[in-house]
Structures are given as structure tokens and as C-alpha cells.
Amino acid sequence: MQIITSPKSNYPVLAGGDLDFATTADGRRVRFALWSKGTKGLVVFFNGRNEYLEKYNETYKRFQDLEFAVVALDWRGQGLSERERKLEHLGYVNNFAEYQLDLEAVLNQAQVQKIIGPRILVGHSTGGCIGLRTLTDNKFQFESAIFLAPLWGGNTMQHLSHRISRLMVLAGWDKKSPISPKSRPYILTTTPEKNCHTSDQRQFERLQKIIIADPRLSAGPATFGWISAVGDELIDLEKRAPIKIPHLVLLGQEDTLISHKAVKKKCNLNDNCELHIIPKARHELLIEKQNIIDSVWEKINNFLIIKQ
């Protein structure tokens, strides 16, 4: 196993918070950050695959300005959380249930439990999948949720990738092998025009600067095991009853990573869901052009006001 001795990276995390590690029930060390200042409750931020705390500094600041405490974490195998030895530059998890152990370890920290007020789950991308499982299992008391470009089903290529990965794993292929030979971080191999994350050049360059400053933050390509695990998780979640708490779902009109069909289907089947499609937005709704960010936060603010 890879042990990171310090929770600090070479790129700053939003000031005013505390960085630390939590130890999971199966012995993994996961990095988390807590901004405890706030009187309206606690936002629990679930980031996506191959993401890390430093990426959403501006988001934490906005929630802090709204008087919410914020806690966020690096899932196992990414950011500066513990990774399996020889898999430091690959995205791997044996089973998606392991992510719930990461969350449990962080939310059970004494300093997190001290935060009073309602708990609000905010999940982006794969964090939306992990968050959906959290709410489905109803192990923690969340009052409401906000999902941004949630991974709630696959597109055609993702379905194909899952089937191939699952067959490879069942056939005995090493599930820790990468599904792609590319090792350089995606954000350093694409352009502002072609990248699928953001249409804003300033934000694109900021994401590049973070990885250049600390390459350890990038998890690299997913493994057959990870792709197999996420596909199995989505299939299982499809069988579960709709979540019962109020939730806001925002999806970028130009998002090519997320299945619009799957998101719309889940929302259409749930009276507790409020869905908005954000015009001209790509995958990173919180890391976009300013007019898009303003539109996203207007909807978040309205949702939070109604639920308070």
C-alpha cells in the first residue's frame, strides 16, 4: 500500500479548513478537509473519479459564503488518499462498496460530528453514483441533495466498456490492468477547445496548473476492475427504489461524459427530483464560464432557500 505522510499537496487547498487523514474500517487512509465555520448545516461534497480536494476550492468558498460548513474527501486510490502499491497511477477499486467505507470514516470523525444542522449531500459525476448509493442505503441522515452531472447510467460506449471489462475479469484477466495505455493526465494532453470538462480557458489552465504543481493528484486511466465495478454498481442501483429526500439535479447541455437519458429517466420517475439542463455547459458545471457558474449557483441557492 502507498502511505502519504502529509495531507498537504504542492497546490493550496482553500484556507480556513483543516486537512487530515481518516482510517477506514478496512485500514485505508483517506484524506479529507473540513471547513467547520457555518451556521446553516454541513455540505458533504462527493467529487468524481480522478478528482481531488484542490479542484473545487471555489466551490467550497461559495458554500462557506452561504454559511455552510463543508467537508470533502479524496476517495481511496485518488488524490492524496492511500493507493495500492504498483497502482499509484491507475484508477482502481475492487468494489464500489469500498467508497462507502471512505465516507463512513470521514463522517465519523469527531470534528465532523460536532457540526450542527442539516446534512446536504453534493455529488458530482461518479460522486453522484456514490452519493446515490449513500442515500439508497439511508445509513446517514441527509436532509436534501444536489447532484451535478451525476453518473446514473452509461452511454453506448460506456455500456460496451463495462461489458468488455466484466468479461475480461470473469475470464481471469488481471482486473488491475489499465483499460487504456495512456498514462499522461487527460487535462495535459488535450486543448481548451477539445476538452470535455470546461469551455472556460481560465479554468482549463487552472486544472492544468494543479496537476503540474503536484502530479500525485492524478489517478490516471481506469482499470478493468474499476470499470467492471462501476458498471455493476449502476446495474444494482437501477433496481433500487427512488430516493425519498428532495434533490436538485443539474446537467450540462454539452456534457458528453454523462448519459442524459439515464439522468432524465431517474428524475422522471421521482417526484422529489428537480432537474435543470444548463445551456452550453460541459461536464464541470462548477468549473465553467462565469455566466454558466452564475446560473448553476442561482439554482443551488434557490433550492437551498426552499429547503431551509
Side-chain angles (χ1 to χ4, degrees):
M1 303 291 182
Q2 181 195 44
I3 302 296
I4 304 292
T5 57
S6 172
K8 293 183 179 181
S9 71
N10 298 328
Y11 190 93
V13 174
L14 177 69
D18 295 315
L19 272 172
D20 205 347
F21 289 108
T23 302
T24 66
D26 61 346
R28 296 296 182 92
R29 281 161 53 89
V30 294
R31 184 176 70 142
F32 73 97
L34 173 66
W35 295 266
S36 57
K37 180 182 177 182
T39 60
K40 293 184 178 179
L42 176 67
V43 166
V44 185
F45 190 83
F46 291 47
N47 60 28
R49 194 196 88 78
N50 201 4
E51 295 191 328
Y52 40 84
L53 292 175
E54 291 78 0
K55 186 171 181 176
Y56 291 99
N57 281 339
E58 296 173 10
T59 299
Y60 312 141
K61 178 66 165 57
R62 292 293 290 260
F63 279 119
Q64 282 273 273
D65 290 344
L66 292 173
E67 298 182 31
F68 286 94
V70 179
V71 65
L73 69 152
D74 288 346
W75 304 111
R76 62 180 61 201
Q78 59 189 57
L80 292 188
S81 286
E82 187 175 336
R83 307 188 187 194
E84 290 206 21
R85 188 172 297 166
K86 298 182 180 180
L87 290 179
E88 286 87 353
H89 302 297
L90 295 177
Y92 174 75
V93 70
N94 184 55
N95 188 294
F96 257 53
E98 294 175 0
Y99 291 133
Q100 301 302 319
L101 299 179
D102 298 350
L103 176 67
E104 181 179 353
V106 170
L107 293 188
N108 284 338
Q109 294 293 302
Q111 62 266 46
V112 177
Q113 292 187 329
K114 287 179 182 178
I115 306 296
I116 61 173
R119 267 54 176 159
I120 301 166
L121 189 156
V122 180
H124 170 255
S125 194
T126 301
C129 173
I130 299 170
L132 183 60
R133 170 63 68 187
T134 300
L135 298 178
T136 298
D137 289 352
N138 199 28
K139 191 171 183 179
F140 303 98
Q141 296 299 312
F142 284 98
E143 184 174 287
S144 58
I146 299 169
F147 292 103
L148 303 136
L151 177 62
W152 284 352
N155 56 34
T156 301
M157 287 303 298
Q158 288 165 341
H159 282 304
L160 178 61
S161 179
H162 171 240
R163 286 196 292 269
I164 293 173
S165 296
R166 197 163 189 271
L167 286 172
M168 296 287 279
V169 170
L170 290 173
W173 192 269
D174 186 357
K175 60 183 179 181
K176 297 181 180 181
S177 298
I179 195 169
S180 169
K182 297 179 181 179
S183 58
R184 289 196 71 208
Y186 169 77
I187 199 67
L188 300 181
T189 62
T190 185
T191 65
E193 296 75 24
K194 294 181 179 180
N195 89 94
C196 59
H197 293 306
T198 178
S199 61
D200 185 77
Q201 181 152 350
R202 180 187 71 85
Q203 294 282 13
F204 177 82
E205 292 173 354
R206 181 178 71 89
L207 295 179
Q208 288 189 321
K209 287 178 182 177
I210 297 173
I211 297 303
I212 292 171
D214 199 330
R216 298 175 301 167
L217 294 173
S218 176
T223 56
F224 287 112
W226 193 94
I227 296 294
S228 180
V230 69
D232 291 347
E233 178 75 340
L234 291 172
I235 289 172
D236 187 74
L237 285 171
E238 189 68 26
K239 304 172 185 175
R240 306 298 172 178
I243 56 178
K244 297 180 180 180
I245 64 172
H247 52 288
L248 172 69
V249 179
L250 304 177
L251 182 63
Q253 183 184 41
E254 298 179 4
D255 191 337
T256 58
L257 294 178
I258 295 301
S259 169
H260 291 227
K261 181 180 178 181
V263 172
K264 291 175 181 177
K265 178 182 177 182
K266 274 202 182 301
C267 285
N268 289 339
L269 294 173
N270 195 328
D271 293 336
N272 294 307
C273 179
E274 177 186 335
L275 172 65
H276 295 277
I277 308 297
I278 309 299
K280 299 183 180 180
R282 299 184 193 178
H283 186 59
E284 294 286 355
L285 294 168
L286 297 168
I287 305 176
E288 259 288 0
K289 290 181 177 177
Q290 193 59 51
N291 65 310
I292 293 175
I293 292 176
D294 291 343
S295 176
V296 167
W297 278 102
E298 179 183 18
K299 291 170 175 58
I300 291 175
N301 291 343
N302 291 339
F303 176 77
L304 291 173
I305 290 170
I306 292 172
K307 303 310 169 191
Q308 289 174 9

